[in-house]
């Protein structure tokens, strides 16, 4: 079974959609940033952040964190994320958690990172759910707890988060936090593979070598059914699969 080192995600996910009144100028600023027109983006983000708009604070923080259009400044990024966290902005909770996890711009504090990831995860942030799974699996900032790790992976997997789906397969293969189950390893490797995860593709082929053709066929049917539910937003992790 292919077994890479479990690592937390350090890049932030999709941005929360802005309110109607601010959407046009905000989306224009996002487009400008994506096209490398950082001065234009900074002008809009600063204007909106000064007026308390959390998504603009978050985007501005990302520019400072990455050094795009400005000198890289992790401390400034952390300040901006913190302001947005106070406005209950999930992406900022995650981004600030990553800074605490890495000790960038703030004092290294794994427990604080866990707290922020939990806040974001409770708002159904898939990357935060995944990072919590990794930290519980590795015993990073918390006591190692494979069952809790699997629980968070399941939530992220239900949100179609490929890395969590792959890690679930690894845990089913090794029997970590759950009974060892080759079929379920195959199922979640297949689902992660559908999402373009090449590590999962390799692991799925290794699973297949230890399964009978009829078992492979049945497992693939289950994977297809689960994946269809996930894509339709109808899959809810219940601990049975």
């Amino acid at each position: 079974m292919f077994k890479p080192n479990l690592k937390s995600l350090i890049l932030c996910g999709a941005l929360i959609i802005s309110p109607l009144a601010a959407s046009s100028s905000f989306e224009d600023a996002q487009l400008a940033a994506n096209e490398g027109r950082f001065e234009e983006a900074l002008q809009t983000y600063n204007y909106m952040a000064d007026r308390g708009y959390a998504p603009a604070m978050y985007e501005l923080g990302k520019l400072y964190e990455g050094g795009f259009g400005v000198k890289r400044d992790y401390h400034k990024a952390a300040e901006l994320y913190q302001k947005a966290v106070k406005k209950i902005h999930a992406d900022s909770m995650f981004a600030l958690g990553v800074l605490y996890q890495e000790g960038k711009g703030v004092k290294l504090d794994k427990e604080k990172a866990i707290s922020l990831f939990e806040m974001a995860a409770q708002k159904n942030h898939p990357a935060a759910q995944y990072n919590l799974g990794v930290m519980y699996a590795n015993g990073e900032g918390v006591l190692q707890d494979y069952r809790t790790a699997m629980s968070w992976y399941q939530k992220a997997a239900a949100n179609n988060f490929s890395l969590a789906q792959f890690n679930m397969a690894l845990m089913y293969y090794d029997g970590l936090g759950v009974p060892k189950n080759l079929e379920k390893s195959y199922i979640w490797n297949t689902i992660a593979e559908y999402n373009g995860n090449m590590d999962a593709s390799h692991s799925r082929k290794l699973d297949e070598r230890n399964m009978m053709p009829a078992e492979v066929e049945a497992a693939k049917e289950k994977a297809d059914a689960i994946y269809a539910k996930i894509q339709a937003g109808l899959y809810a992790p219940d601990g049975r699969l």
Side-chain angles (χ1 to χ4, degrees), residues 39-180:
E39 184 176 351
E40 180 180 339
L42 283 163
Q43 183 176 1
T44 300
Y45 289 153
N46 275 308
Y47 177 85
M48 300 179 81
D50 287 344
R51 283 151 183 78
Y53 189 53
M57 297 173 186
Y58 167 69
E59 287 293 337
L60 192 57
K62 287 205 300 182
L63 294 183
Y64 276 102
E65 183 177 355
F68 301 117
V70 292
K71 183 178 179 180
R72 175 173 284 169
D73 188 337
Y74 291 117
H75 181 71
K76 177 68 172 179
E79 286 184 344
L80 287 161
Y81 293 148
Q82 182 61 61
K83 289 179 180 178
V85 166
K86 292 180 179 179
K87 294 182 176 292
I88 322 299
H89 187 255
D91 280 334
S92 296
M93 296 169 188
F94 175 73
L96 186 59
V98 169
L99 292 184
Y100 274 105
Q101 185 182 18
E102 300 291 322
K104 294 180 177 178
V106 291
K107 184 178 180 180
L108 181 69
D109 189 335
K110 304 284 188 175
E111 292 182 1
K112 181 67 173 178
I114 288 282
S115 177
L116 286 160
F117 290 150
E118 286 178 342
M119 290 169 61
Q122 293 297 341
K123 293 180 70 63
N124 208 31
H125 193 290
Q129 292 165 343
Y130 168 76
N131 270 20
L132 283 170
V134 170
M135 295 182 81
Y136 273 98
N138 291 339
E140 183 182 353
V142 291
L143 292 176
Q144 189 175 56
D145 186 336
Y146 291 124
R147 291 185 64 183
T148 300
M150 177 60 93
S151 177
W152 284 117
Y153 285 149
Q154 287 174 330
K155 290 178 173 61
N159 284 317
N160 209 24
F161 203 77
S162 171
L163 293 172
Q165 293 161 351
F166 176 48
N167 281 6
M168 282 180 64
L170 296 177
M171 295 183 76
Y172 275 120
Y173 185 87
D174 287 329
L176 299 176
V178 289
K180 183 179 175 68

Side-chain angles (χ1 to χ4, degrees), residues 21-39:
S23 63
S24 179
S25 59
F26 182 67
E27 289 170 2
D28 288 345
Q30 287 180 299
L31 179 61
N34 289 335
E35 294 179 348
R37 294 181 280 118
F38 298 119
E39 184 176 351

